[in-house]
């Protein structure tokens, strides 16, 4: 496959000429799941403190955050300065997207080595850290963004001599992406680490509280904690006490952290509460678990559950056993006895559709969806629990990107099952009262639902991937060494690939086809034609040339000589297949002429092989019909005629009639002629 991988462009880009990235000087304190950080220098402003982040192509970025913060930087946030493509040598030359960020020089409050910055103390936490973080979070929320990566390791002193801190960047990876379970608020922590979604303002304030708590104790409280036991402790004791291991934070700082880490959204502190706390007028809020407590415990797999969130999570982790459990229940009676203030209307009971059919063995496909509906009923503000995965619906884009990055077919299958509008609408009907944004997220997914199960070129799960993640580069193996973020970049890469002798049947690559379809309008019909011609190489090559010519015209690309030559070579079988000798010679002369110019669009306008092939086929068919008729007539004329032939008999009878008629006329004339 190495011979079919697009080469890296020669030389360095203008962006790469301006910024020098020292790949031997890693900066782990600024490295994220979305990229690796290194020291960098701006040659035009050599004294400016910056660092470079080399992005991973399989992790989606938050492009809208980049655009907003680059245009109008936010105080107390690490803002992006610029980004561009650059050739990087890290164990081999590769073209990668690199973002240049402001670099706070005072160090992280919690270093990657697990040690707290010696400048951190209770007074600084209570004064400068809280105030700086509040300003940053409030400014982001005002622009409609959440941060979702506020961890002790992602907060920095602006400078060695400064009391101010800033929160690290939040654009290089999806919101909440792979954040520690304990540092996510309960409603998002239950979701898969790659599918936690955008979250809300309250989730940022929870993270701030958890970060302050770890900084106060000087420990990485989130490390080495078993997920299940930690979840049980957070639900039963509250996240503050569970994460602290029962230790309290005395004084005003403790009041603040407990308020920020309240598990109930209605009781969690927000920006106004923090400001009131600064002014000394805030009142502590108490966490209540009544909203999630059941009237009576439910025993599932030998464990008695009183909290409906824990029961939903237990069902989610063993959906087969959960389905068998539910089918053995008198479900309406169980709801009436177990859940506080729940009214199971006929409509809701119909939507939940829990069928008591314990006599039927095995788990049916619909049983998984039944378990999902019941889990949503029990925890309407939580994730969708389906086949062992838990997903926030707006976290699907990052989840599918992760599935492709790891080639996780099971996860892709789960995502495909979830792209079912009828199923999602049923879930929305169950949870919409507590989760009003759910149906809006279903509408956002609707344009991509029909693509997932399709096997056509330009569709399938690859199309869902690029449709949901428009900023993601094409991750075809052909482009493993280059960054393809647009059709223009793809065409130039294909030209280099053709120059190195590769690129055969590139449009049969499902990633290339899906990327083109997602980034180019009105290409569905073209891919349908290509798909129909997959088993007809001459026609497929002709359609490929037509397709690339159209892209070159539409995107006003420069000459692409190597790709043009490759396409001309691909047309050789089609030219050889032309029946008309004069046409074949004329087309070959035109192709040789166009081949030198590198203009694919000219290739398709002056030598429209699809039209030429159709004309040649039509004329050949007509000629073959005429020749067939002539052969038939010649055969009839040249063969020996026998008296028993039907045609001979018919013609003989016809001839005898005419002879008889002539004889009759002659006899009549002679008989009745005057003077006869």
């Amino acid at each position: 496959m190495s011979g079919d991988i697009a080469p890296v462009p020669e030389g360095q880009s203008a962006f790469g000429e301006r910024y020098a990235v020292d790949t031997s000087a890693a900066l782990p304190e600024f490295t994220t799941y979305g990229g690796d950080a290194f020291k960098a220098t701006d040659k035009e402003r050599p004294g400016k403190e910056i660092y470079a982040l080399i992005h991973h192509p399989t992790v989606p970025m938050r492009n809208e955050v980049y655009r907003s913060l680059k245009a109008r930087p936010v105080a107390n946030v690490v803002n992006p300065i610029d980004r561009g493509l650059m050739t990087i040598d890290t164990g081999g030359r590769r073209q990668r997207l690199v973002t240049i960020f402001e670099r706070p020089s005072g160090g992280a409050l919690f270093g990657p080595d697990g040690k707290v910055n010696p400048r951190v103390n209770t007074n600084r936490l209570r004064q400068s850290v809280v105030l700086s973080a509040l300003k940053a979070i409030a400014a982001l929320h005002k622009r409609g963004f959440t941060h979702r990566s506020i961890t002790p390791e992602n907060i920095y002193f602006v400078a060695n001599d400064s009391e101010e801190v800033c929160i690290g960047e939040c654009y290089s990876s999806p919101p909440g992406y792979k954040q520690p379970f304990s540092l996510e608020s309960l409603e998002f922590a239950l979701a898969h680490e790659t599918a936690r979604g955008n979250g809300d303002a309250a989730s940022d304030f929870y993270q701030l509280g958890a970060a302050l708590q770890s900084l106060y104790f000087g420990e990485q409280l989130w490390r080495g904690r078993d997920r299940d036991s930690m979840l049980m402790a957070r639900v039963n004791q509250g996240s503050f006490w569970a994460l602290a291991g029962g230790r309290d934070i005395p004084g005003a700082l403790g009041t603040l952290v407990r308020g920020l880490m309240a598990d109930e959204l209605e009781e969690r502190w927000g920006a106004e509460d923090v400001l009131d706390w600064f002014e000394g007028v805030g009142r502590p809020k108490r966490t209540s678990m009544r909203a999630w407590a059941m009237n009576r415990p439910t025993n599932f797999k030998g464990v008695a559950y009183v909290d409906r969130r824990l029961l939903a999570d237990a069902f989610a982790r063993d959906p087969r056993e959960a389905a068998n459990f539910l089918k053995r229940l008198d479900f309406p009676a169980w709801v009436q006895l177990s859940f506080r203030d729940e009214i199971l209307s006929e409509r809701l009971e119909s939507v939940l559709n829990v069928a008591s059919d314990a006599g039927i063995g095995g788990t049916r496909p619909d049983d998984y969806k039944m378990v999902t509906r019941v889990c949503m009923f029990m925890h309407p503000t939580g994730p969708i629990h389906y086949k062992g995965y838990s997903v926030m619906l707006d976290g699907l884009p990052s989840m599918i990107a992760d599935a492709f990055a790891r080639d996780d077919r099971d996860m892709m299958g789960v995502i495909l099952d979830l792209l079912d509008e009828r199923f999602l609408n049923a879930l929305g009907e169950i949870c919409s009262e507590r989760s009003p944004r759910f149906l809006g997220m279903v509408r956002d997914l609707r344009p991509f639902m029909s693509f997932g199960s399709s096997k056509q070129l330009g569709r399938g799960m690859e199309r869902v991937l690029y449709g949901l993640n428009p900023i993601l580069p094409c991750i075809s193996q052909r482009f493993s060494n280059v960054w393809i973020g647009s059709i223009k970049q793809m065409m130039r890469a294909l030209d280099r690939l053709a120059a190195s002798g590769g690129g055969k049947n590139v449009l049969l690559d499902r990633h290339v086809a899906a990327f083109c379809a997602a980034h180019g309008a009105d290409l569905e019909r073209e891919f349908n034609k290509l798909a129909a011609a997959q088993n007809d190489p001459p026609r497929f090559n002709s359609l490929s040339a037509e397709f690339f010519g159209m892209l070159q015209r539409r995107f006003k690309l420069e000459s692409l000589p190597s790709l043009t030559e490759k396409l001309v070579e691909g047309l050789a079988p089609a030219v050889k297949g032309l029946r008309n000798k004069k046409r074949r010679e004329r087309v070959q002369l035109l192709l040789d002429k166009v081949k030198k110019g590198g203009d694919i669009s000219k290739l398709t306008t002056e030598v429209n092989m699809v039209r030429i092939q159709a004309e040649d086929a039509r004329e050949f068919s007509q000629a073959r019909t005429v020749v067939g008729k002539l052969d038939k007539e010649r055969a009839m004329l040249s063969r020996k005629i026998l008296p028993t032939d039907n045609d001979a008999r018919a013609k003989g009878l016809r001839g005898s009639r005419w002879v008889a008629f002539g004889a009759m006329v002659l006899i009549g004339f002679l008989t009745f002629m005057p003077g006869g």
Side-chain angles (χ1 to χ4, degrees), residues 487 490-491 523 547-555 557:
I487 289 181
M490 184 197 72
M491 293 286 282
L523 295 181
F547 179 79
F548 284 125
M550 179 266 294
L551 291 183
Q552 190 179 30
R553 283 194 307 274
R554 181 182 293 187
F555 293 97
L557 279 156

Side-chain angles (χ1 to χ4, degrees), residues 23 83 104 165 212 217 239 299 331 484:
T23 54
R83 73 179 177 190
V165 302
L212 291 171
F217 289 114
S239 291
N299 289 296
F331 185 73
I484 304 299

Side-chain angles (χ1 to χ4, degrees), residues 70-138:
K70 182 179 183 295
R72 291 183 297 127
V74 168
N76 300 104
V77 172
V78 174
N79 294 287
I81 298 171
D82 199 2
R83 73 179 177 190
L85 296 182
M86 183 185 294
T87 301
I88 300 291
D89 194 345
T90 51
R93 292 179 75 251
R94 290 183 176 87
Q95 184 191 51
R96 288 291 177 259
L97 182 69
V98 176
T99 299
I100 304 298
F101 288 96
E102 304 166 344
R103 181 183 173 188
S105 58
L109 273 62
F110 217 125
D113 58 358
K115 296 180 180 178
V116 179
N117 191 308
R119 296 179 60 203
V120 173
N121 56 48
T122 304
N123 286 335
R124 283 199 174 98
L125 288 178
R126 191 172 59 243
Q127 296 170 10
S128 56
V129 173
V130 172
L131 187 58
S132 297
L134 177 62
K135 286 193 291 185
I137 294 170

Side-chain angles (χ1 to χ4, degrees), residues 25-244:
L27 297 174
E29 65 269 33
F30 297 111
T31 290
T32 70
Y33 287 107
D36 298 316
F38 298 92
K39 287 183 179 179
T41 305
D42 183 350
K43 295 176 183 177
E44 294 182 9
R45 302 175 64 187
K48 188 173 178 62
E49 293 279 358
I50 60 172
Y51 73 91
L53 191 80
I54 302 175
H55 291 273
H56 300 318
T58 55
V59 180
M61 296 165 284
R62 302 173 70 185
N63 199 42
E64 67 286 355
V65 174
Y66 171 82
R67 289 177 175 174
S68 178
L69 297 187
K70 182 179 183 295
R72 291 183 297 127
V74 168
N76 300 104
V77 172
V78 174
N79 294 287
I81 298 171
D82 199 2
R83 73 179 177 190
L85 296 182
M86 183 185 294
T87 301
I88 300 291
D89 194 345
T90 51
R93 292 179 75 251
R94 290 183 176 87
Q95 184 191 51
R96 288 291 177 259
L97 182 69
V98 176
T99 299
I100 304 298
F101 288 96
E102 304 166 344
R103 181 183 173 188
S105 58
L109 273 62
F110 217 125
D113 58 358
K115 296 180 180 178
V116 179
N117 191 308
R119 296 179 60 203
V120 173
N121 56 48
T122 304
N123 286 335
R124 283 199 174 98
L125 288 178
R126 191 172 59 243
Q127 296 170 10
S128 56
V129 173
V130 172
L131 187 58
S132 297
L134 177 62
K135 286 193 291 185
I137 294 170
L140 286 172
H141 292 173
K142 190 174 181 181
R143 296 192 188 183
F145 304 127
T146 52
H147 191 286
R148 304 287 277 108
S149 184
I150 304 169
T151 66
E153 299 167 324
N154 199 29
I155 305 175
Y156 312 88
F157 282 109
V158 172
N160 288 323
D161 57 352
S162 174
E163 294 291 313
E164 273 199 285
V165 302
C166 62
I167 300 176
E169 62 91 8
C170 60
Y171 119 85
S172 65
S173 56
Y177 190 76
K178 297 187 177 181
Q179 293 299 317
F181 175 83
S182 298
L183 299 185
E184 282 278 10
S185 56
L186 265 178
E187 59 271 20
F188 299 104
L190 292 170
H192 189 273
E193 63 177 3
T194 66
R196 288 178 174 151
N198 289 320
D200 51 22
S203 58
D204 276 347
F205 283 110
Y206 172 87
Q207 285 192 331
L208 175 60
L212 291 171
Q213 186 185 45
S214 287
L215 289 167
Y216 175 82
F217 289 114
E219 302 171 18
Q220 294 175 310
L221 299 175
W222 63 92
R223 293 202 185 278
R225 311 294 287 271
D226 174 68
R227 185 256 188 202
D228 291 345
S229 60
M230 187 62 184
L231 173 61
M232 188 75 73
R234 289 181 68 176
V235 167
N236 292 329
Q237 303 168 23
S239 291
F240 173 87
W241 297 106
L243 196 56

Side-chain angles (χ1 to χ4, degrees), residues 648-664:
R649 287 180 177 180
K651 288 179 180 178
L653 288 172
R654 195 181 304 119
S656 65
R657 288 192 192 104
W658 281 108
V659 170
F661 178 75
M664 185 181 65

Side-chain angles (χ1 to χ4, degrees), residues 100 281 446:
I100 304 298
V281 296
R446 190 173 293 146

